Amino acid sequence: MLVRKNDKDYPILKDKMKRTVYWIFVLLFTAITISLIANSFTVNSNVVPNKKNEESIVTKETEKEVKGKVEKTREVTTTEKPSQQAKGFQELMIHLLYEKTVGTVLVKHFLMYLGLLILYLLFILTQKNVSNLKVAGLEVGTSQDVQAEFYKAVEEQKNKFDFLTFWMREENRLTFIRNTDIEHRTFLGFLSRMLEKMQEYYRDDWNINFSFTIYEMNEFERSSLPRKVKKSAVSLTEEDKGLPILKEKDLHFHKNYLIYKVTEVNVKDATDIKEHMIVLSSYYSEFDEVDSILISGLSALINLIYIQTTQSDFILYLLKENQRARERLML
């Protein structure tokens, strides 16, 4: 089993922050629900709206001159005014929230739920690859240039195929072979080296980081990979290309996968056949159909390089042995 991990493909801190935020939302939701239940049992259901009229008392003093004397008299006037209703939404809300009735409890907790929902939607929008969100008729979105995104995707696909075309050229293929150490000139050695080139290309051009592992089939079956990945391997016999397996959106610690089964045939012994499973994995980068075709093309290219190199090395070995045999005969 060959493993090549990408040091930049470890967003564990960000994942932990996500999970912490989600737990905070869950705790807040639970706290609001408990508060709603507790307040429902303590409301005053017998509260009758205060419709008592307001009384206004006016005292008026008057002076009168009676037989040369000034007398003061006091008149008290009592008037009743009907109780005034709250005016305006803000005044009405203050009036409702100060009274603990079924209505005020429901209104307060409804506003709490609504505020929590808005915060949750805003949090989701900060996550990657979310441009529009619609929940219960409420649509929240971020403005994106759809045409620019389309051209960007097309350009990215073209560049991925350019990567395969580049290594298919004979001069680049020979450079690849010359730069590979003698001890690594095996099928797995060439394959791992090419996947490392793919890692570098994805990282430098698109900031896409992934790790890869090359399993033998028995290792793949015994591995700790998700059950979904292992079961999906059966479908690889139908088409000669990789299979993208995307993680569930709510499973932040899981990964996106791309699997492809490749066959190694021993050039010196055609009966010696081994099967390997290539597994690409990434926390945040999703693999698509182009990646599937690319991994298939690279594997076929590596198989060609392996056969040509092994045959060339074997021919070179025979020539050297022949030369040594001649030298021994001359002696």
Side-chain angles (χ1 to χ4, degrees):
M1 180 173 64
L2 290 174
V3 181
R4 296 291 186 275
K5 293 184 178 180
N6 191 325
D7 293 336
K8 293 187 178 181
D9 189 37
Y10 284 97
I12 300 298
L13 180 61
K14 189 173 181 179
D15 273 349
K16 287 183 177 179
M17 182 187 70
K18 276 186 179 181
R19 192 165 69 169
T20 302
V21 172
Y22 278 115
W23 274 112
I24 290 174
F25 278 116
V26 170
L27 292 175
L28 287 175
F29 181 85
T30 305
I32 294 174
T33 304
I34 293 174
S35 174
L36 174 61
I37 296 172
N39 281 275
S40 298
F41 286 104
T42 58
V43 294
N44 186 0
S45 58
N46 297 321
V47 171
V48 178
N50 183 15
K51 294 185 178 180
K52 184 178 179 180
N53 293 339
E54 294 181 1
E55 293 183 353
S56 177
I57 300 175
V58 179
T59 302
K60 184 178 180 182
E61 292 184 352
T62 58
E63 295 182 353
K64 292 182 181 180
E65 186 174 347
V66 179
K67 297 179 181 182
K69 294 182 179 180
V70 177
E71 296 183 354
K72 294 182 179 180
T73 60
R74 180 178 295 178
E75 297 180 359
V76 178
T77 306
T78 303
T79 58
E80 293 186 355
K81 294 182 181 179
S83 59
Q84 295 183 352
Q85 301 294 327
K87 298 179 181 179
F89 178 76
Q90 184 178 2
E91 200 172 326
L92 177 63
M93 290 303 299
I94 294 174
H95 176 69
L96 288 175
L97 294 177
Y98 272 102
E99 291 185 1
K100 195 173 184 181
T101 64
V102 175
T104 59
V105 169
L106 291 177
V107 169
K108 284 190 287 187
H109 288 83
F110 170 76
L111 293 176
M112 292 181 190
Y113 282 125
L114 182 61
L116 189 64
L117 176 62
I118 293 174
L119 289 176
Y120 181 71
L121 295 179
L122 292 176
F123 171 71
I124 291 178
L125 285 175
T126 62
Q127 307 309 304
K128 188 178 179 181
N129 296 329
V130 176
S131 57
N132 290 283
L133 184 67
K134 190 172 184 180
V135 179
L138 175 64
E139 185 170 1
V140 186
T142 57
S143 59
Q144 287 186 344
D145 190 342
V146 178
Q147 187 176 10
E149 289 293 322
F150 172 76
Y151 284 124
K152 180 182 177 182
V154 172
E155 182 68 18
E156 183 175 305
Q157 293 180 359
K158 175 182 176 297
N159 291 338
K160 288 179 180 179
F161 285 124
D162 287 343
F163 176 76
L164 176 60
T165 305
F166 175 83
W167 289 112
M168 289 179 66
R169 297 192 188 109
E170 185 176 359
E171 62 272 17
N172 298 327
R173 194 166 67 246
L174 293 175
T175 301
F176 174 78
I177 295 172
R178 285 195 298 267
N179 292 337
T180 304
D181 300 334
I182 297 295
E183 61 270 19
H184 293 141
R185 290 191 179 186
T186 61
F187 179 80
L188 292 181
F190 283 128
L191 183 60
S192 62
R193 185 67 185 126
M194 181 57 72
L195 291 175
E196 288 172 0
K197 294 283 187 184
M198 182 179 172
Q199 269 185 327
E200 297 170 2
Y201 187 68
Y202 274 47
R203 180 196 63 210
D204 296 340
D205 281 50
W206 306 298
N207 195 28
I208 295 176
N209 298 289
F210 66 86
S211 303
F212 72 85
T213 305
I214 305 174
Y215 295 91
E216 292 185 5
M217 291 308 297
N218 58 345
E219 294 175 333
F220 175 76
E221 294 168 358
R222 297 195 310 265
S223 68
S224 59
L225 291 168
R227 185 183 304 175
K228 181 180 179 181
V229 176
K230 294 181 182 180
K231 287 187 174 181
S232 301
V234 179
S235 61
L236 292 176
T237 57
E238 300 175 1
E239 293 183 273
D240 186 23
K241 61 180 182 179
L243 176 66
I245 303 171
L246 305 183
K247 69 177 178 180
E248 300 293 334
K249 294 298 182 182
D250 57 340
L251 301 178
H252 301 292
F253 283 93
H254 286 205
K255 299 180 182 180
N256 300 300
Y257 291 95
L258 174 64
I259 60 176
Y260 180 71
K261 185 165 64 176
V262 64
T263 302
E264 174 190 358
V265 180
N266 192 334
V267 177
K268 299 177 183 178
D269 183 3
T271 61
D272 184 11
I273 300 175
K274 297 178 181 178
E275 289 186 332
H276 306 281
M277 185 68 73
I278 302 172
V279 179
L280 275 56
S281 62
S282 176
Y283 282 100
Y284 283 106
S285 301
E286 295 184 351
F287 301 102
D288 55 24
E289 194 73 13
V290 178
D291 300 312
S292 304
I293 300 173
L294 178 60
I295 199 71
S296 174
L298 291 176
S299 299
L301 176 62
I302 289 302
N303 191 47
L304 175 63
I305 291 175
Y306 167 67
I307 292 174
Q308 291 180 341
T309 305
T310 305
Q311 289 176 344
S312 299
D313 291 343
F314 184 65
I315 293 173
L316 183 60
Y317 169 77
L318 292 178
L319 290 175
K320 288 182 178 180
E321 287 297 318
N322 187 36
Q323 181 66 27
R324 290 173 184 172
R326 286 185 179 183
E327 291 176 355
R328 284 196 297 269
L329 289 174
M330 291 178 63
L331 293 176

